[in-house]
Amino acid sequence: MSSLRRRKPINESSDSKHNEEEEDEDHDDVDADGDDDVNGKNKKTPSKIKKKRGEKPPKQPKWSCMDTCCWFIGCICIIWWLLLFLYNAMPASFPQYVTEAITGPLPDPPGVKLKKEGLEAKHPVVFVPGIVTGGLELWEGRECAEGLFRKRLWGGTFGEVYKRPLCWVEHMSLDNETGLDPCGIRVRPVSGLVAADYFAPGYFVWAVLIANLARIGYEDKTMYMAAYDWRLSFQNTEVRDQTLSRIKSNIELLVATNGGRKVVVIPHSMGVLYFLHFMKWVEAPAPMGGGGGPDWCSKHIKAVVNIGGPFLGVPKAIAGLFSAEAKDIAVARALAPGFLDNDIFQFQTLQHVMRMSRTWDSTMSMIPRGGNTIWGGLDLSPEEGNSCAKKREKKNETQIADQAGSENAVCKAKSANYGRIISFGKDVAEAPSSDIERIDFRGAIKGHSAANTTCRDVWTEYHDMGFAGIKAVAEYKTYTADSLVDLLHFVAPKMMARGTAHFSYGVADNLDDPQYKHYKYWSNPLETRLPNAPDMEIYSLYGVGLPTERAYVYKLSPHAECSIPFKIDTSADDEDTCLRDGVYSVDGDETVPVLSAGFMCAKGWRGKTRFNPSGIRTYIREYNHLPPANLLEGRGTLSGAHVDIMGNFALIEDVIRIAAGASGEELGGDQVYSKIFNWSEKINLRLDEEIPVHSSR
Amino acid sequence: MASVLRFRKLCYVESAVKCTSVGYESFEIDEKLDKKEEDVLSANNFALEINKKRKQPKRQPKEWRCLDSCCWIIGYLCTTWWLLLFFYHCFPVTLLRVPELPGPGVRLKREGLTALHPVVLVPGIVTGGLELWEGRPCADGLFRKRLWGGGSFTQIFKRPLCLLEHLSLHYETGLDPQGIRVRAVPGLVGADYFAPGYFVWAVLIENLAKIGYEGKNLHMAAYDWRLSFQNTEIRDHALTRLKSKIELMYISNGYKKVVAVPHSMGVIYFLHFLKWVETPPPMGGGGGPGWCAKHIKAVMNIGPAFLGVPKAVSNLFSAEGKDVSYIRAMAPGVFDSEILGLQTFERVMRMARTWDSIVSLLPKGGEVIWGNMDRSPEEGHVCDFSKKSHSKTSLTTNNVNNSDVKRGFLVKDLANYGRIISFGKPASILHSSKLPTSDSKVFSRTSTSENFNNFSCGEAWTEYDEMSRQSIQNVAADKAYTTTTLLDLLRFVAPKMMRRAEAHFSHGIAENLDDPKYNHYKYWSNPLETKLSDAPDMEIYCMYGVGIPTERSYVYKLSPNSRCKSIPYQIDNSVHGEDGSCLKGGVYFADGDESVPVLSAGFMCAKGWRGRTRFNPSGIATYIREYRHKPPTSLMEGRGIESGSHVDIMGNFALIEDIMRVASGATGDEIGGDQIHSDIIKMSERINLGL
């Protein structure tokens, strides 16, 4: 600034004097900071000087704070642009080059490796995405969603969630009575491979697998993403969108256009159940089913490669339905108490989320199936004796050998009662069953509804229950898989009435019973037979080595109006019994316990059983979880986590080999790290066709 | 405060200007001044520290000023920008939205229309998106990214040569080159927007959704528009997929027939499909003779290029159109410069010539349809449109003038539209007897040993490089070409391309449609060489815009020769007709929608298929719906709701309303039968075609 002034005299000499005066003033100002007569001296620009007061003596005296800020921002912008420019000018392979320079040469992605081996695209591939990972877009909405036509509400950037959360919740919810669209709102699944390749920018789901398949020659005509609206019950996707018919037609088209080669189906997570439902639907006669005839599956399907399949449900679904929370939320609540609970802004986040997710029928497909037979009773559970070594393993991988020794010691001392999926209080969870006094809640009177008037926005069925009902629930103390279903019926009768019309959670006694022709049994592997397709193969691919939620310790939440009356007791911790923050965990892939993912392939369908009358071959492929070695690897190429496993190179290689024509034996048969076979042995489930007089063992 | 800030800002701007303009001389003086001042300052017993500070960075402060103020200005701008952006996002969406006219969807929904027939959209050339599935190393990181359409075209600017390489097809086979797989983007996203904000199908889709359409009853038949139609089936099974989709929609929507809405080249693609689907398996889809009657309610062709477009000729012949030649006239040397060695045109031409589909758009029907040396169906057409677009307000006076002009003009200067390419203006005007006869014998190649620029311009090779100078001049000496001789011309200048493409397309008129040779697929997309299928209940609509000057024929010249300019011809943009003539910038214009002349779009519906003809044995009902072009009245309207131009017509409310009414069950008579603004009936009558 001052140089400018100094230069001025050249052009305007008449001003020079005045300028010099001002120059003087400036220096006065700097020196005589706090002098009283400064103000008297400089009457011309009092405001300027006032502003400069209190600042440090600046080098360029005329620069105000604003200017500095602007200058600073300008600098940052320029640097930013420069970097951006450099980034864009950089060749695309540069990051890979850097990574390789640091970590040494990366292994070839499986697609490249197998292409070198000479593998080629053979069987067409069908992807069936799971819950939550599929994109949803708006086709018709309320006024508040204007401008979002055909924009993604789910998946993609999620920008709208932050902008208009209530509007978003409204559009994502379904009708509470029918489980279909609310009036005037149509949200539909995105179709095509884009539906579930990335869940959010940079967070891949199917993208890595697709990219690797493309390397050996797959493209749009040989791949198909069976996108469906994952909020609906399985049969409703057909009723509303004809999704099952479309999948049938597309599979037929794939087979026809690829020279009669059968498809390889790759379902993930809930897609596993969905496809189970599909296989049953497609062979059922026309009004309820697809009318494909009894040999449709054997004609069109080579293999079903299930990734992380919750065949028998996941305990996580219980926590989600019961109190709209899971491990993550419970931990967050423990860390910052009051943050999620306060009603100051009337956010009532959890209540909104709960109300929304309870309208989704599909969440009920994930409730644990098979009752006490599978998941264990009050005292016994198949996983008994499991230690939490895996958790520690993460911390010090080098000492695995030592641990193996200590493991046993720990296990003998105390074992968790995994069968008690929900218990109220830690003492209840640990006490022997004889010590627990339980008061049956089933007949309990719910009492008059509490807080029905004030919580207009976030009505959940809890508000119908009243205090007596809530108390009755807590009095029963502990719930096993059997009584859980009753519990849910008690706390959310409307939701469960909707849900039980579409799903069933039992074990069939006699599969010939005509009632099992109804579609609500089709997605439960314990209540349906596999199709008659002896040449088909069923794979179960899942990660192991991660602690997975299995049972919860609950407490009554301090009562406040409009809140959920139960919450996970995060104070309950026990190193020995895998209890942490109120959650018992077992081996699994962080979402699905090994038992649920592996049992059917390990025992339920192994050989010729009554669930698998044609003797479809089953294979278990487990992948031990190894966290990414460094940050550059992103989500890791050896991960075993529920979604990240889709980027696991070993899994991708298996999938590609199957798609290129390999059979299960050529792949290496079973590959097991967990104790799934031990645990399956412990489950006392009849597998022979005839009805026994009394159950053995 | 504000005034102070403004003052300061002014100062900085001034200083910035001075820094640059005054330059070094003033700096030197400044230094001296500085020293003087400093002496004065020290004499005045100022603090020593300050002096030291000043002296040490002696030079720096001055250099800094400029940079500083730059930074300051940028920072200032950024901050305001962010603030505005922040406010913009804070505003409720409804407040900022320009009060839009409620689209026809809303109105028709109030009328009680609901989705009835499933709708299949068939995109045209160029508008469909293409994505990469396998590429060369230069296309690293573009896997499943769009190379064409949809998102942004940033990649074109980043690595143009790489992109051209990937978008080209194999010159011999017309299929993928080795190691490159580029495929059509499937689904509605394939062609809803061509570029961000530039809609193609999006408006139509949005309006259809208002009355209940969604993924299950709305399908985009995306296909790779670069391939010949039969090749889309051979490589991608696109036709089989379309057949299966239509069957599925027919069944899953309660046995309701499908309404197909093809656009531009999609029209002849769908024509090909209709024929293919009923043909027995090895060559066709094996749907049986009743397939179309069973599955299709109506075909609503938008901007149909039934008989081809003359634009395709100039594109293939010299890789330019009206727009390009204008730019060339305005800024000569931009395209022609070789400084960067870009050879833009040669490369573009080479790419375009590998696309078989462009050949499908060459004018069909020869001289019978498009006119010969002296006669053409559009004869007597008056070009008043150039004025119209300039002065809309004086429309009434204009009309008066027009009739005057018409009278005078008709006598003195006739546009010979039949001569699609003429070399030099005289050749386009003179009577045919005065022109040298175009003898096909001329089209024999003089020895190829004369190839003169083959070695240095290797990369952007076009077939012109194989021609000798002599034969290039021979072509020009022939003066004028009609549609029939044009094909010979193209065969001469680009023999390989035409050999490849003519295995897939034919451009003639059938004498006897029962001739078994017409069972071959190369005739299926030519409406003059196929019968429509036996589906008496089906309806065919021709919907197109009129009132925009449309390229019809060209005046060419030899381009100035230089070594690597391997396109020897270019449109002679210096040729202008008199006022009122249809010749402008070397291009003769006729009525149309800016791309397709009325003749090509309307003739089949107006005459070729009207009633029971040999091309339409079952008497499928045809309807012509013309939409007069009205440019958008204000900027707010974007591309206009009454536009008639080739792509913008997809946002024309009247057209959308027609489609929606038909989709929800109306017949052609219910929506008002024919709606004609142009001279299409008169033109059709002049065409002497046996029906």
Side-chain angles (χ1 to χ4, degrees):
Chain A
M1 194 74 175
S2 50
S3 87
L4 159 75
R5 208 159 285 121
R6 259 176 262 130
R7 223 176 294 131
K8 259 183 185 167
I10 308 155
N11 303 331
E12 311 154 72
S13 53
S14 62
D15 277 1
S16 66
K17 226 179 184 180
H18 164 79
N19 276 331
E20 264 178 25
E21 238 177 67
E22 230 181 69
E23 189 77 27
D24 284 359
E25 281 164 19
D26 286 350
H27 288 285
D28 267 356
D29 200 25
V30 173
D31 271 19
D33 217 21
D35 250 9
D36 276 347
D37 47 1
V38 174
N39 270 344
K41 238 168 125 189
N42 310 323
K43 270 167 199 162
K44 277 181 239 162
T45 54
S47 65
K48 270 189 209 170
I49 291 159
K50 259 182 207 163
K51 223 172 54 189
K52 259 174 271 157
R53 282 266 170 89
E55 278 179 32
K56 279 186 191 171
K59 237 201 269 176
Q60 292 99 5
K62 288 280 176 183
W63 275 52
S64 72
C65 181
M66 272 287 281
D67 291 335
T68 332
C69 278
C70 284
W71 177 85
F72 185 64
I73 292 170
C75 274
I76 290 177
C77 281
I78 291 174
I79 292 169
W80 175 250
W81 288 333
L82 225 110
L83 287 176
L84 210 71
F85 174 76
L86 283 178
Y87 175 78
N88 278 321
M90 178 180 76
S93 56
F94 188 69
Q96 202 195 340
Y97 174 77
V98 171
T99 319
E100 276 181 17
I102 295 171
T103 61
L106 290 174
D108 267 346
V112 177
K113 183 181 139 199
L114 295 175
K115 196 186 177 186
K116 279 179 199 153
E117 277 185 29
L119 261 62
E120 273 179 13
K122 190 172 174 203
H123 294 277
V125 169
V126 176
F127 307 112
V128 187
I131 195 167
V132 173
T133 48
L136 298 172
E137 60 188 11
L138 185 75
W139 277 86
E140 186 184 338
R142 301 269 156 80
E143 265 165 34
C144 71
E146 212 181 316
L148 292 181
F149 176 71
R150 282 187 59 225
K151 297 271 181 348
R152 286 206 179 188
L153 289 189
W154 187 268
T157 57
F158 286 98
E160 294 305 321
V161 182
Y162 305 111
K163 263 197 200 163
R164 20 191 161 170
L166 287 184
C167 181
W168 182 80
V169 165
E170 185 186 353
H171 282 79
M172 286 296 293
S173 300
L174 294 169
D175 190 286
N176 208 8
E177 305 282 320
T178 59
L180 292 169
D181 287 329
C183 192
I185 292 178
R186 282 186 293 151
V187 174
R188 296 286 178 268
V190 179
S191 62
L193 291 178
V194 284
D197 53 351
Y198 287 93
F199 178 57
Y203 190 86
F204 69 83
V205 182
W206 294 92
V208 179
L209 184 57
I210 292 173
N212 279 297
L213 282 168
R215 295 268 186 182
I216 64 161
Y218 279 93
E219 58 187 68
D220 211 50
K221 65 174 174 183
T222 42
M223 287 196 269
Y224 169 62
M225 178 75 75
Y228 59 97
D229 189 338
W230 46 264
R231 300 171 305 158
L232 299 184
S233 78
F234 301 156
Q235 191 69 11
N236 272 346
T237 62
E238 170 67 12
V239 172
R240 197 192 70 181
D241 298 339
Q242 281 87 42
T243 310
L244 296 174
S245 304
R246 291 159 73 118
I247 295 174
K248 176 175 174 247
S249 153
N250 272 299
I251 290 180
E252 283 166 359
L253 177 69
L254 282 176
V255 173
T257 53
N258 287 287
R261 296 205 183 105
K262 297 183 203 171
V263 296
V264 170
V265 185
I266 308 174
H268 173 235
S269 183
M270 192 181 78
V272 168
L273 301 175
Y274 189 72
F275 197 74
L276 213 60
H277 185 95
F278 171 80
M279 284 197 290
K280 216 52 202 171
W281 172 88
V282 77
E283 298 198 342
M288 199 188 277
D295 56 351
W296 194 93
C297 286
S298 71
K299 260 191 208 156
H300 291 92
I301 299 174
K302 173 197 188 275
V304 183
V305 186
N306 301 300
I307 300 177
F311 284 108
L312 304 175
V314 284
K316 224 179 191 174
I318 297 281
L321 287 172
F322 193 57
S323 63
E325 60 187 348
K327 195 177 62 182
D328 316 325
I329 288 180
V331 169
R333 189 177 259 164
L335 286 178
F339 174 68
L340 281 170
D341 296 329
N342 63 10
D343 279 347
I344 303 169
F345 302 107
Q346 298 206 309
F347 278 159
Q348 301 172 307
T349 322
L350 281 185
Q351 283 84 342
H352 277 295
V353 169
M354 182 164 188
R355 198 170 80 106
M356 175 174 75
S357 62
R358 277 197 176 180
T359 64
W360 297 345
D361 284 344
S362 58
T363 51
M364 283 177 278
S365 73
M366 313 269 272
I367 292 174
R369 297 150 196 271
N372 292 0
T373 322
I374 302 288
W375 295 95
L378 281 177
D379 294 320
L380 265 170
S381 71
E383 284 110 328
E384 213 157 70
N386 175 52
S387 74
C388 304
K390 298 291 182 201
K391 217 188 269 175
R392 270 175 246 142
E393 204 174 293
K394 239 176 163 178
K395 285 168 200 156
N396 43 358
E397 280 163 75
T398 46
Q399 299 176 359
I400 294 172
D402 297 341
Q403 271 177 21
S406 63
E407 235 175 67
N408 290 330
V410 172
C411 289
K412 268 160 201 159
K414 230 179 188 182
S415 73
N417 293 314
Y418 290 116
R420 306 173 191 180
I421 292 187
I422 287 183
S423 6
F424 281 90
K426 189 187 163 195
D427 43 341
V428 179
E430 286 169 358
S433 60
S434 50
D435 293 357
I436 305 173
E437 270 180 53
R438 298 160 89 194
I439 302 166
D440 202 353
F441 65 94
R442 289 178 181 93
I445 304 151
K446 285 183 176 176
H448 66 281
S449 56
N452 210 7
T453 44
T454 46
C455 310
R456 67 259 166 249
D457 271 354
V458 284
W459 180 88
T460 60
E461 288 192 72
Y462 278 125
H463 303 134
D464 270 350
M465 270 180 64
F467 303 118
I470 292 168
K471 212 165 159 241
V473 167
E475 298 269 273
Y476 192 62
K477 304 283 194 213
T478 177
Y479 296 87
T480 59
D482 274 342
S483 46
L484 255 179
V485 178
D486 295 328
L487 171 67
L488 287 174
H489 269 294
F490 183 73
V491 299
K494 280 186 195 162
M495 172 188 79
M496 287 305 283
R498 224 176 50 226
T500 40
H502 288 282
F503 300 107
S504 165
Y505 311 106
V507 180
D509 271 332
N510 176 12
L511 280 167
D512 288 326
D513 193 329
Q515 68 156 330
Y516 290 115
K517 292 223 163 71
H518 192 267
Y519 60 77
K520 76 175 184 177
Y521 300 103
W522 289 347
S523 60
N524 182 355
L526 298 173
E527 289 177 310
T528 38
R529 288 198 184 107
L530 286 179
N532 179 24
D535 293 337
M536 211 167 93
E537 288 170 332
I538 294 182
Y539 295 81
S540 200
L541 281 61
Y542 53 90
V544 293
L546 283 168
T548 308
E549 295 164 57
R550 175 69 170 78
Y552 300 91
V553 176
Y554 265 89
K555 67 176 179 190
L556 282 175
S557 62
H559 185 255
E561 288 195 348
C562 312
S563 70
I564 299 164
F566 311 104
K567 58 165 79 164
I568 294 174
D569 185 1
T570 47
S571 64
D573 264 312
D574 193 334
E575 269 298 304
D576 298 336
T577 53
C578 309
L579 177 64
R580 232 184 125 190
D581 296 328
V583 180
Y584 283 99
S585 41
V586 291
D587 202 1
D589 67 358
E590 207 161 25
T591 300
V592 183
V594 167
L595 189 69
S596 174
F599 173 73
M600 287 318 287
C601 284
K603 191 177 172 198
W605 288 332
R606 203 30 75 99
K608 261 189 214 265
T609 69
R610 64 183 176 124
F611 302 112
N612 179 12
S614 62
I616 297 173
R617 271 155 300 142
T618 61
Y619 301 96
I620 291 183
R621 306 282 295 171
E622 287 182 353
Y623 304 90
N624 218 344
H625 174 75
L626 287 178
N630 57 35
L631 268 178
L632 286 169
E633 272 186 33
R635 286 155 69 203
T637 56
L638 296 166
S639 177
H642 191 59
V643 175
D644 294 355
I645 201 174
M646 310 282 279
N648 185 316
F649 278 4
L651 177 133
I652 292 175
E653 190 181 325
D654 284 350
V655 170
I656 293 179
R657 281 189 192 281
I658 295 167
S663 71
E665 260 82 40
E666 285 162 19
L667 223 60
D670 291 338
Q671 169 183 301
V672 179
Y673 299 104
S674 70
K675 297 178 191 154
I676 179 67
F677 283 111
N678 284 351
W679 293 341
S680 304
E681 278 307 307
K682 285 189 203 152
I683 291 174
N684 182 16
L685 180 70
R686 183 175 52 80
L687 297 173
D688 317 321
E689 194 59 71
E690 75 267 24
I691 302 158
V693 184
H694 60 92
S695 55
S696 57
R697 220 183 339 179
Chain B
M1 180 67 189
S3 63
V4 171
L5 264 175
R6 202 170 303 139
F7 167 69
R8 192 159 298 169
K9 194 180 170 187
L10 268 175
C11 281
Y12 280 115
V13 172
E14 223 173 309
S15 74
V17 169
K18 258 171 209 158
C19 275
T20 51
S21 63
V22 177
Y24 288 106
E25 302 148 44
S26 64
F27 272 113
E28 279 166 27
I29 303 163
D30 280 353
E31 253 178 88
K32 284 172 197 165
L33 269 169
D34 265 353
K35 275 180 186 166
K36 269 182 202 167
E37 265 178 26
E38 271 161 318
D39 289 343
V40 175
L41 293 180
S42 56
N44 281 351
N45 292 330
F46 275 106
L48 276 168
E49 310 152 33
I50 298 170
N51 267 335
K52 268 177 195 165
K53 272 181 195 167
R54 292 224 149 186
K55 268 174 196 168
Q56 277 161 0
K58 225 170 197 180
R59 201 111 213 183
Q60 271 180 354
K62 264 162 273 151
E63 287 157 344
W64 264 58
R65 298 297 157 205
C66 198
L67 237 166
D68 280 352
S69 25
C70 279
C71 281
W72 184 86
I73 289 166
I74 289 169
Y76 192 78
L77 289 177
C78 281
T79 325
T80 12
W81 174 249
W82 286 334
L83 263 168
L84 287 175
L85 211 70
F86 177 73
F87 283 132
Y88 175 80
H89 280 291
C90 280
F91 272 130
V93 190
T94 42
L95 229 168
L96 277 170
R97 181 145 300 198
V98 186
E100 268 180 25
L101 288 166
V106 178
R107 193 158 44 81
L108 294 177
K109 194 188 176 185
R110 264 185 238 130
E111 274 185 33
L113 261 66
T114 49
L116 187 72
H117 295 280
V119 172
V120 173
L121 310 174
V122 187
I125 197 167
V126 173
T127 49
L130 298 173
E131 61 188 11
L132 184 74
W133 278 87
E134 185 184 339
R136 302 268 156 81
C138 74
D140 239 1
L142 289 180
F143 175 70
R144 283 188 57 224
K145 295 270 182 345
R146 292 225 180 167
L147 294 188
W148 186 267
S152 50
F153 282 92
T154 45
Q155 293 302 336
I156 291 189
F157 302 112
K158 258 191 186 173
R159 23 190 157 170
L161 290 185
C162 183
L163 209 82
L164 283 182
E165 184 188 354
H166 282 79
L167 284 175
S168 300
L169 295 169
H170 194 271
Y171 208 89
E172 308 280 321
T173 60
L175 292 169
D176 287 328
Q178 184 69 33
I180 292 178
R181 281 186 292 155
V182 174
R183 296 289 180 265
V185 178
L188 291 176
V189 284
D192 54 351
Y193 287 95
F194 180 57
Y198 189 85
F199 69 83
V200 182
W201 293 94
V203 179
L204 181 61
I205 293 171
E206 193 167 347
N207 280 296
L208 283 170
K210 290 260 161 58
I211 62 165
Y213 280 94
E214 58 191 49
K216 66 174 173 184
N217 45 19
L218 190 59
H219 174 67
M220 177 78 74
Y223 59 98
D224 189 338
W225 46 263
R226 302 169 303 158
L227 299 183
S228 78
F229 303 154
Q230 194 68 11
N231 274 344
T232 63
E233 168 66 13
I234 290 169
R235 199 192 68 182
D236 298 336
H237 308 296
L239 296 172
T240 315
R241 290 160 76 115
L242 179 56
K243 175 177 172 243
S244 147
K245 271 277 141 44
I246 289 178
E247 284 167 355
L248 172 69
M249 289 208 288
Y250 171 69
I251 292 166
S252 64
N253 286 288
Y255 299 94
K256 290 277 179 301
K257 292 188 203 171
V258 170
V259 172
V261 187
H263 173 233
S264 182
M265 192 182 79
V267 168
I268 44 181
Y269 185 72
F270 199 73
L271 209 64
H272 184 94
F273 170 76
L274 289 182
K275 204 67 193 162
W276 173 87
V277 77
E278 298 201 339
T279 309
M283 200 187 278
W291 195 93
C292 293
K294 189 179 164 199
H295 290 95
I296 292 174
K297 174 193 191 290
V299 184
M300 309 197 72
N301 304 300
I302 302 175
F306 279 120
L307 303 177
V309 284
K311 230 179 188 174
V313 176
S314 65
N315 191 311
L316 284 175
F317 196 59
S318 65
E320 60 188 346
K322 184 186 64 181
D323 317 323
V324 170
S325 80
Y326 275 159
I327 295 173
R328 190 176 259 164
M330 285 198 290
V334 173
F335 282 135
D336 300 329
S337 64
E338 286 175 43
I339 303 166
L340 300 172
L342 280 175
Q343 300 178 299
T344 323
F345 277 100
E346 284 75 10
R347 287 181 198 279
V348 169
M349 177 181 229
R350 177 164 157 64
M351 175 174 74
R353 280 192 174 182
T354 64
W355 298 343
D356 282 340
S357 56
I358 291 187
V359 178
S360 78
L361 290 173
L362 287 179
K364 291 167 188 167
E367 292 181 4
V368 179
I369 301 288
W370 294 94
N372 55 20
M373 293 300 251
D374 295 318
R375 291 181 53 90
S376 72
E378 282 115 326
E379 217 156 69
H381 175 67
V382 182
C383 301
D384 53 346
F385 13 68
S386 55
K387 271 185 215 157
K388 202 190 277 172
S389 59
H390 286 303
S391 52
K392 271 167 280 162
T393 44
S394 59
L395 211 71
T396 43
T397 53
N398 221 353
N399 281 342
V400 180
N401 287 342
N402 280 343
S403 51
D404 289 346
V405 171
K406 196 172 186 175
R407 232 171 288 134
F409 164 69
L410 263 174
V411 192
K412 66 173 187 238
D413 194 5
L414 274 174
N416 288 315
Y417 288 117
R419 304 174 191 181
I420 287 207
I421 287 184
S422 24
F423 282 91
K425 194 185 172 188
S428 71
I429 297 171
L430 285 175
H431 194 264
S432 57
S433 53
K434 292 171 194 159
L435 286 172
T437 49
S438 67
D439 189 0
S440 54
K441 278 173 211 159
V442 180
F443 297 133
S444 57
R445 293 204 160 209
T446 27
S447 65
T448 43
S449 60
E450 281 178 65
N451 286 354
F452 54 98
N453 53 3
N454 212 5
F455 39 91
S456 59
C457 311
E459 265 201 82
W461 174 88
T462 64
E463 288 196 67
Y464 279 126
D465 291 336
E466 290 184 359
M467 281 173 71
S468 67
R469 197 74 212 158
Q470 185 61 42
S471 44
I472 285 171
Q473 264 154 8
N474 277 352
V475 166
D478 256 358
K479 296 298 183 195
Y481 297 89
T482 65
T483 328
T484 317
T485 46
L486 178 81
L487 286 173
D488 296 328
L489 171 66
L490 283 173
R491 273 177 215 131
F492 178 64
V493 299
K496 281 183 197 162
M497 172 189 78
M498 290 305 278
R499 212 178 306 137
R500 189 188 70 225
E502 292 206 313
H504 290 282
F505 299 107
S506 162
H507 300 92
I509 298 180
E511 287 299 322
N512 175 16
L513 279 167
D514 291 324
D515 191 331
K517 80 169 188 185
Y518 289 114
N519 289 335
H520 192 267
Y521 60 77
K522 77 175 188 179
Y523 299 104
W524 291 346
S525 61
N526 182 355
L528 298 173
E529 289 179 310
T530 38
K531 284 180 197 156
L532 285 180
S533 43
D534 178 28
D537 293 336
M538 210 166 93
E539 289 170 331
I540 293 180
Y541 295 80
C542 290
M543 319 168 82
Y544 52 90
V546 293
I548 306 182
T550 307
E551 294 164 59
R552 177 67 172 81
S553 53
Y554 300 90
V555 177
Y556 264 88
K557 67 175 179 193
L558 281 172
S559 56
N561 182 35
S562 65
R563 265 168 61 89
C564 278
K565 294 249 64 71
S566 55
I567 300 178
Y569 312 106
Q570 64 187 44
I571 294 175
D572 188 356
N573 43 46
S574 62
V575 179
H576 289 281
E578 294 146 58
D579 205 22
S581 155
C582 298
L583 179 62
K584 207 178 160 202
V587 181
Y588 280 98
F589 292 101
D591 200 4
D593 68 358
E594 207 163 21
S595 288
V596 183
V598 167
L599 187 69
S600 171
F603 174 74
M604 289 317 288
C605 284
K607 193 175 172 198
W609 288 333
R610 197 38 67 99
R612 256 175 220 274
T613 68
R614 65 184 176 119
F615 301 112
N616 179 11
S618 62
I620 296 172
T622 61
Y623 300 95
I624 292 182
R625 306 284 294 174
E626 289 184 350
Y627 304 89
R628 184 166 279 293
H629 174 73
K630 278 185 202 150
T633 47
S634 66
L635 268 178
M636 293 300 227
E637 274 186 33
R639 285 154 70 200
I641 54 171
E642 289 180 293
S643 176
S645 75
H646 193 59
V647 175
D648 294 353
I649 200 174
M650 312 278 279
N652 185 316
F653 279 5
L655 175 128
I656 291 174
E657 188 179 330
D658 285 347
I659 291 177
M660 289 174 70
R661 282 191 189 281
V662 172
S664 57
T667 64
D669 292 324
E670 281 164 24
I671 63 168
D674 288 344
Q675 169 183 302
I676 295 175
H677 301 290
S678 71
D679 301 333
I680 179 68
I681 301 288
K682 226 185 287 171
M683 286 182 210
S684 309
E685 267 161 27
R686 286 199 205 120
I687 292 175
N688 183 21
L689 179 71
L691 296 173

